[in-house]
Every structure is written in C-alpha cells, then in structure tokens.
Amino acid sequence: MRTAIYPGSFDPLTNGHLDIIQRAAKLFDRVIVAVARNESKHPLFTLQQRLKLVQLALGGIPNVEADAFDGLLVDYAQRREGDAIIRGLRAVSDFEFEFQLALMNRKLNSRVETIFMMPRETYTFLSSRLVKEVASLGGDVDPFVPAHVKSALRRKFGRRARKS
Ligand code: ADP
C-alpha cells in the first residue's frame, strides 16, 4: 500500500490543488491531503475552515482523505506511514524554494521522498494568494475554485465579493 502526503496551507483550496490531488490519486493507493496549521502565515481561513473546504472538495475521490497537522512535516509523514510527499510545481519560480524544502526534508528523514507534479497548464498561474486578492476586490473567482470555496470567500469578504 503506497501512501502519499500532499501538504500545504490550502488557504483556500483552488482548482490547481485539486488537479494535483487527482493526479496523485491515480499514482498512489492512498493520498492524504495534509492541511498545515501555519499560523505564522496568518491564514485568512482557520485551520478547521481550510480542512472543511478540502474535505468538501474530495467527495468523489475514494482513495483521498484530508487531515490537519502541526509541527514537522516529516514527522507527520512518518506517523501516517507516508512513502512520498507530493508538491506542486507551477513555474520555475516555485523551483528554488521547493528544491530547498525537499532537500531539507530529506536531511530530516531520508526515508520520505518528495515528488513534484505539474498541474494542467491553465492552472500554472493560479495561487491561493491571487484568488484571495481577486475575491477581496469583488472579482469573479468561478474559474479558479470549486463553488463551495467561492461561497466561503464571499462570506469572508462580504458585499464586495458579491458582484461576481
Ligand atoms: P504552501 O503554503 O505550503 O505553499 P499552498 O497551499 O500554497 O501551501 O500549496 C500547497 C502545494 O500545492 C505546494 O506544493 C504548491 O506549490 C502547490 N500548488 C499551489 N497552487 C498550485 C497550482 N495552481 N498548481 C499546482 N500546484 C499548486
């Protein structure tokens, strides 16, 4: 049984994340989408809200589950018997940081491999940060996030986001 851990802030989950999840689900027996507490990043959504938004998006994918974690990713991966850590690569600009992170994680625990996956080209420009910015200014986030995430963004940003 091969298990992959897909960690991130998911603040909030986007269609780019979902694309990676679907690809990973085809390669692994089990995929755990691990929502990081990451309070230092001052997320817009609480950990529970981010987890819920991920869970709601996973409905139709039988071998994927969502979980929350705090602390070192490699410790979490070991606890959950993860064979690999999945990270998404959108552009060359992601590469340097992700490369450092992967090598640091390997230093911390040489048993966990990092695997990079690329999303559909149309999602290579997509990030949670940009989605929040567009939503906060009342722009249409329909093409970028599932409907329930759009509703959650609307609730956060109130009237301004209702234009879309
Ligand atoms: P983090 O704060 O850990 O970077 P994110 O939620 O922003 O968490 O991203 C989690 C993972 O998903 C990262 O590996 C990131 O590169 C990847 N990712 C984010 N957006 C996309 C996208 N549009 N396409 C592919 N991968 C993505």
Side-chain angles (χ1 to χ4, degrees), residues 6-12 14-17 19-20 36 38 41 86-90 94 97-98 101 117-119 123-128:
Y6 179 36
S9 313
F10 302 103
D11 184 40
T14 69
N15 290 339
H17 293 132
D19 181 283
I20 298 291
N38 270 352
K41 281 195 172 178
I86 303 284
R87 294 289 286 177
L89 275 188
R90 286 161 289 195
D94 277 341
F97 174 70
E98 292 292 344
L101 194 65
M117 301 191 77
M118 282 150 296
Y123 295 143
T124 51
F125 64 92
L126 196 51
S127 69
S128 299

